[in-house]
Amino acid sequence: MPIMKYRNILAAALAVSLSTALVVIFSFLLPQHAALIISVYFATVILMSFIVLIISKIYNAAKSSVNTVEFIKIAENLNNEFIMWSDDLKFIRLNKQIRDHLGIDSEQFDGAEMLKKVFALESLDENSIGTLTSGSHHAAFKASDGKIINIAWTTSVFKKFKKRCLYLSTGFNYTEIKKMRVNLASANDFFNSSMELAEIGVIMSTDRKKYAASSETVRMFRLKSNSIDIGEFRSLIHPNDRIQFDSAMNSDEEESSDVKKIDLRIRPVGGISYRWYSFRYKSIKATDNTLPLFGGALLDINEEREKDLLIERLAYTDEVTEIANRNRLLSIGHETYNCSLALGYSYWIIVLDIDRFHIVNDTCGYDNGNYILKNFAHILYKFITPGGFAARISGDNFALVLRDYGDDDLPVRTARAISEEFSKLAVDDFASVSLSCSAGFSKLPDDGNSFLDVMEHAEFALKSGSGQPCAICGYEPSMHDSIIGMTELEKALAVAIKNNELQLFYQPKIDLSTGKIMGVEALIRWIKPDGTIITPDSFVPVAERSRLIGKISEFVLNEGCRQNALWQKMGYPNIVMSINFTSGDFYQNDLKERVLDALLRNDLDSDWLEVELTETLALSDINYAVAQMNKLRELGVKLAMDDFGTGYSSLSYLQILPITLLKLDKSFITNIQNDNIAFEIVSAVISIAKSKKIKTIAEGIENREQEEILRKAGCDYGQGYLYGKPMPAEELEKLFPELS
Ligand code: C2E
Ligand code: MG
Ligand code: MG
């Protein structure tokens, strides 16, 4: 290589040596011309050297200018920015790409100014050139269209001419990338703001050890940085939720690409109270170009969760007794039924009803009523055996579910024991009420196709009981025969009420001393569209078992008052209208208001209204009955004790009950003319009643003989077929002249 490098010098030296040798030879051959030959030689050498130098200079210049030109040609149409420039700024070439930015065509521009502009430099002196060439130089300039162009320049020496230097600056235009970066940054800001607004924290990881936390996650859990160690984060999770969390964090991305969800309690760093978060997580498989990703979103659901818990509690707990309610019973019952089928277990379902609870509630007030319910629930709990449970299913109805171990007497024994225990509460405020319960029971799974089915059968057995306190009745499939009939009748009755098929008939009551009408008893009839008349014995008990009785009683009260007021307006003599009340009507809290309302609405004076109550009804809770009776008496309404002699028949009650009339039951009257005992009883009752200033009336007088005996015995009034059967108002109106 050194030979190649010095080949021109060697050639020149060889040429000089050869020519010098020739000059020396010619000088010896022609000594007379030696001086001329030597002078010409040296002159020629000097001239030739000069020519060679010039040619070589021209050649070299031509050679370098060809490289530069070629290079500029190539760079001209490349998509990058290229500038070739000499440090004296006399040679400046910009390729098309940069010329386009600057909006210049061809050469008509001030190169130096353009360079300063694109390199964003104040001047191009030694210092700034040094900066340009020492590494990459980022510069932004405004393009002709007003857009900012960002270029990263790399400048290097392209060629050196003695002291001058030709530089090549290659640009990388990163304007779009910068925009993307800005967009990305603002997208990140937007993302963080959105997460903050939505109060959603996000954690993401590629290795499942170190997690990147969003700024909202950092805020939520008071984290120190947005890079979290999963072990540290785990320590913030409630110990009971950590297993769930672990299984979520270790879930295999192969398993599913679905978003999964768990609820966790997490506390903030340094905090002690936990809040509920919903963690929705997902794992994303790695691809050729991406790493696997695992992460999720944390949403604070504390309030919702607390509401849910409250709703769940409300939905499944009975508010008064704080034991399970019907919903809870049905849900546990459903599982129990399935379990009994699978394992061959059997259970008893005992449904209990507090006898006459409405009386307790009405006389002792709601607070005391609730107290009784609570205590009943506590008593029930004492009787729960392993595998069993208890619930309040409605008002004063409870259910007890017990495992059956083949003891068929268990339900009856348990119900009795509960009733006995319950009766012990009748002290202090409850001393005047007798506390007991009735029960119906059925067996699971034998007595139905589902838990609800079996329970409804126990409820049905309860309703089918005698209706007497402490009745206990086991379910029998044969009970269905009567339930179907009853339901049909109930439906028909409901339709009848709607269609106004109920009508009041009136039976006269006669003053035995004058033979004149002193009142009527309103007796309800169901008159079917075909004219068939149905008597109350066939439908009143059905109505009493359903809610229909309320509607019937409302109708009787209003219609009785309306009819009596109408007769008075029509000029008939003033008479007393008697209406019959059931236990349900009588023990209503708003009894007084309802009666007053009927009187006012129909403009009837209370003197002309009488309410008939049966003995059994009045004596089922004597204190409350007296209170209710007094309310009616306050209004001025008369009170009759119906069917006297068929119930408890205790004359001592006559001293307590504020009644105005005693109705001797027709069973005493039917054969009074032949039955001495009946006569003695009737006579005794009449004289006692008189001593109490209570009027007496005999029901069922069918002949004059009976009438005569009763008149002689001192009976004030009489009612019976002798004077008239129950009849429609228009018919009675025809009888009025005869009876007045
Ligand atoms: P109650 O209040 O004792 O009515 C008297 C019943 O004796 C009536 O039967 C009446 O028709 C019947 N009766 C009257 N005089 C004689 C007689 O001389 N001989 C015979 N054998 N019977 C006589 P009814 O109308 O069938 O009523 C039966 C029961 O139905 C009533 O007994 C009453 O407890 C109830 N009831 C009737 N109407 C109503 C009502 O509007 N509301 C309520 N809650 N119960 C009613
Ligand atoms: Mg009556
Ligand atoms: Mg009667």
Side-chain angles (χ1 to χ4, degrees):
M1 275 311 172
I3 292 172
M4 292 300 287
K5 200 175 172 186
Y6 300 110
R7 72 180 189 275
N8 291 345
I9 299 166
L10 285 173
L14 193 65
V16 170
S17 307
L18 278 173
S19 57
T20 309
L22 283 174
V23 168
V24 171
I25 291 165
F26 279 114
S27 297
F28 275 110
L29 292 176
L30 301 168
Q32 66 279 25
H33 299 293
L36 181 68
I37 289 168
I38 289 166
S39 315
V40 170
Y41 168 72
F42 278 109
T44 308
V45 167
I46 290 166
L47 185 70
M48 285 307 289
S49 301
F50 195 66
I51 289 168
V52 167
L53 196 70
I54 289 175
I55 288 171
S56 105
K57 275 224 170 203
I58 290 168
Y59 173 78
N60 277 340
K63 196 174 144 194
S64 64
S65 74
V66 166
N67 282 349
T68 308
V69 167
E70 275 177 0
F71 181 80
I72 287 172
K73 265 189 194 165
I74 294 164
E76 172 70 5
N77 292 313
L78 286 180
N79 277 339
N80 279 48
E81 288 74 4
F82 289 97
I83 305 175
M84 190 167 280
W85 54 287
S86 60
D87 52 2
D88 59 1
L89 303 180
K90 285 186 180 152
F91 179 85
I92 298 172
R93 291 290 182 277
L94 310 175
N95 77 339
K96 186 171 180 313
Q97 184 84 356
I98 192 127
R99 287 204 313 277
D100 285 351
H101 291 317
L102 297 166
I104 48 176
D105 47 357
S106 71
E107 309 291 310
Q108 295 151 357
F109 62 93
D110 183 344
E113 280 312 301
M114 285 304 167
L115 273 196
K116 281 197 266 177
K117 183 175 180 180
V118 296
F119 293 143
L121 295 171
E122 291 283 309
S123 62
L124 275 168
D125 50 24
E126 238 172 75
N127 270 351
S128 51
I129 290 173
T131 326
L132 270 177
T133 53
S134 63
S136 74
H137 170 74
H138 291 251
F141 65 91
K142 201 175 195 176
S144 59
D145 58 4
K147 287 179 186 156
I148 300 293
I149 308 288
N150 290 276
I151 298 182
W153 293 104
T154 312
T155 301
S156 53
V157 176
F158 186 74
K159 236 169 206 48
K160 270 198 169 168
F161 303 101
K162 286 194 174 168
K163 284 181 189 162
R164 295 266 71 87
C165 203
L166 190 63
Y167 289 110
L168 176 67
S169 295
T170 315
F172 171 66
N173 186 341
Y174 65 95
T175 310
E176 289 306 313
I177 293 174
K178 190 168 181 186
K179 266 192 217 162
M180 275 161 65
R181 259 196 226 148
V182 171
N183 285 346
L184 218 59
S186 60
N188 195 39
D189 285 351
F190 177 77
F191 170 79
N192 280 333
S193 309
S194 306
M195 293 297 111
E196 194 182 336
L197 283 173
E199 295 180 337
I200 298 172
V202 175
I203 56 167
M204 285 283 176
S205 174
T206 51
D207 63 3
R208 300 199 183 208
K209 284 177 199 131
K210 278 275 172 213
Y211 277 73
S214 71
S215 53
E216 182 58 11
T217 316
V218 172
R219 192 198 63 77
M220 270 177 174
F221 305 111
R222 292 189 223 137
L223 303 173
K224 287 185 190 82
S225 82
N226 59 4
S227 168
I228 51 172
D229 179 271
I230 204 60
E232 282 167 30
F233 189 70
R234 187 180 183 274
S235 68
L236 302 176
I237 293 168
H238 192 284
N240 291 357
D241 298 338
R242 284 180 195 162
I243 294 173
Q244 255 204 109
F245 178 71
D246 292 346
S247 74
M249 298 316 260
N250 298 322
S251 65
D252 192 352
E253 69 260 24
E254 301 292 331
E255 272 175 26
S256 147
S257 59
D258 293 345
V259 175
K260 293 184 189 153
K261 189 180 96 73
I262 51 169
D263 290 350
L264 304 165
R265 279 159 289 179
I266 314 176
R267 64 176 171 81
V269 172
I272 45 163
S273 55
Y274 290 90
R275 288 181 74 81
W276 279 102
Y277 292 87
S278 168
F279 181 49
R280 290 165 59 82
Y281 60 96
K282 183 181 165 108
S283 57
I284 299 164
K285 274 192 203 173
T287 65
D288 290 347
N289 300 321
T290 56
L291 291 167
L293 201 60
F294 177 80
L298 286 148
L299 177 67
D300 188 326
I301 51 159
N302 208 51
E303 275 177 34
E304 286 80 354
R305 188 75 189 208
E306 275 174 7
K307 269 185 221 153
D308 284 353
L309 289 175
L310 189 71
I311 290 167
E312 199 173 301
R313 239 191 62 201
L314 290 176
Y316 284 117
T317 312
D318 172 57
E319 244 180 289
V320 176
T321 59
E322 289 173 3
I323 67 167
N325 64 9
R326 191 184 172 94
N327 289 344
R328 184 97 185 114
L329 176 80
L330 292 180
S331 99
I332 305 174
H334 176 69
E335 285 163 26
T336 308
Y337 190 86
N338 292 339
C339 164
S340 75
L341 291 180
L343 303 174
Y345 292 172
S346 59
Y347 293 82
W348 293 107
I349 302 181
I350 309 170
V351 174
L352 300 119
D353 174 69
I354 299 178
D355 295 323
R356 300 171 306 264
F357 178 69
H358 66 95
I359 297 173
V360 178
N361 218 9
D362 292 346
T363 43
C364 307
Y366 282 113
D367 285 349
N368 282 328
N370 287 351
Y371 171 85
I372 290 291
L373 290 172
K374 268 184 207 158
N375 279 279
F376 192 82
H378 289 163
I379 292 168
L380 270 196
Y381 264 73
K382 289 187 196 168
F383 288 87
I384 299 176
T385 49
F389 48 94
R392 180 185 176 206
I393 49 178
S394 66
D396 59 342
N397 281 17
F398 291 80
L400 181 63
V401 179
L402 299 175
R403 253 304 283 281
D404 167 48
Y405 292 100
D407 175 4
D408 285 353
D409 295 334
L410 182 74
V412 174
R413 218 175 42 242
T414 308
R416 275 205 195 118
I418 291 170
S419 189
E420 210 176 300
E421 184 92 350
F422 183 48
S423 68
K424 292 177 191 161
L425 286 177
V427 288
D428 304 328
D429 285 355
F430 306 99
S432 61
V433 288
S434 60
L435 295 174
S436 63
C437 67
S438 297
F441 61 89
S442 55
K443 201 173 188 178
L444 184 150
D446 304 0
D447 287 338
N449 297 322
S450 65
F451 178 81
L452 182 62
D453 212 14
V454 181
M455 191 179 82
E456 281 177 351
H457 289 158
E459 287 179 305
F460 181 59
L462 172 72
K463 283 183 194 150
S464 306
S466 64
Q468 294 298 312
C470 306
I472 300 169
C473 185
Y475 169 75
E476 295 290 339
S478 60
M479 287 171 173
H480 283 292
D481 307 341
S482 55
I483 196 174
I484 291 162
M486 264 174 63
T487 328
E488 290 300 314
L489 187 58
E490 265 178 36
K491 278 184 209 160
L493 184 57
V495 174
I497 294 170
K498 232 181 178 183
N499 295 344
N500 299 319
E501 288 173 23
L502 297 187
Q503 195 184 323
L504 284 185
F505 275 30
Y506 302 94
Q507 187 176 31
K509 289 177 173 182
I510 301 298
D511 185 333
L512 291 181
S513 59
T514 62
K516 290 187 176 166
I517 186 167
M518 49 69 61
V520 286
E521 179 174 7
L523 295 156
I524 194 138
R525 297 291 180 267
W526 174 2
I527 302 174
K528 291 207 164 172
D530 63 1
T532 319
I533 298 175
I534 300 175
T535 52
D537 288 335
S538 316
F539 65 88
V540 166
V542 175
E544 271 187 275
R545 258 185 282 236
S546 64
R547 288 170 191 272
L548 296 170
I549 193 67
K551 288 193 174 161
I552 295 177
S553 304
E554 203 62 33
F555 164 74
V556 173
L557 176 63
N558 275 292
E559 182 58 14
C561 290
R562 188 196 67 81
Q563 186 60 67
N564 205 14
L566 181 66
W567 280 330
Q568 289 182 2
K569 275 185 203 137
M570 287 165 80
Y572 293 112
N574 286 359
I575 55 167
V576 175
M577 172 67 69
S578 298
I579 56 165
N580 293 281
F581 261 10
T582 61
S583 167
D585 302 323
F586 181 64
Y587 287 111
Q588 292 288 322
N589 267 343
D590 59 350
L591 171 74
K592 186 177 174 181
E593 289 73 22
R594 282 172 45 216
V595 171
L596 180 64
D597 182 61
L599 290 169
L600 293 174
R601 203 177 323 149
N602 296 291
D603 198 19
L604 181 72
D605 197 292
S606 60
D607 280 347
W608 307 112
L609 180 69
E610 183 175 64
V611 169
E612 295 191 6
L613 308 164
T614 62
E615 248 185 308
T616 323
L617 178 155
L619 302 181
S620 62
D621 186 330
I622 190 91
N623 288 349
Y624 190 44
V626 170
Q628 292 291 82
M629 285 175 167
N630 281 333
K631 282 184 190 169
L632 293 179
R633 287 300 297 132
E634 281 163 22
L635 288 178
V637 170
K638 294 184 165 59
L639 289 174
M641 177 153 290
D642 206 354
D643 304 341
F644 190 82
T646 56
Y648 295 88
S649 305
S650 173
L651 290 166
S652 59
Y653 287 124
L654 297 181
Q655 286 171 300
I656 311 164
L657 299 173
I659 52 166
T660 48
L661 181 75
L662 194 78
K663 287 189 88 172
L664 297 159
D665 191 69
K666 56 181 173 293
S667 57
F668 293 105
I669 314 303
T670 313
N671 204 19
I672 196 165
Q673 60 277 37
N674 305 313
D675 186 341
N676 237 346
I677 297 173
F679 175 74
E680 291 299 331
I681 292 170
V682 167
S683 301
V685 170
I686 292 170
S687 69
I688 292 169
K690 270 203 186 333
S691 71
K692 309 282 172 215
K693 300 209 167 31
I694 296 170
K695 299 277 185 189
T696 45
I697 183 168
E699 293 182 324
I701 303 178
E702 292 185 358
N703 54 56
R704 294 286 168 200
E705 202 183 350
Q706 292 164 341
E707 181 193 52
E708 194 51 32
I709 293 168
L710 288 160
R711 189 187 296 117
K712 280 190 180 157
C715 186
D716 299 297
Y717 313 118
Q719 179 184 351
Y721 294 166
L722 177 65
Y723 314 107
K725 288 191 172 181
M727 62 191 96
E730 311 81 59
E731 257 181 62
L732 187 72
E733 285 162 20
K734 289 179 203 153
L735 270 182
F736 264 130
E738 198 184 304
L739 296 173
S740 310

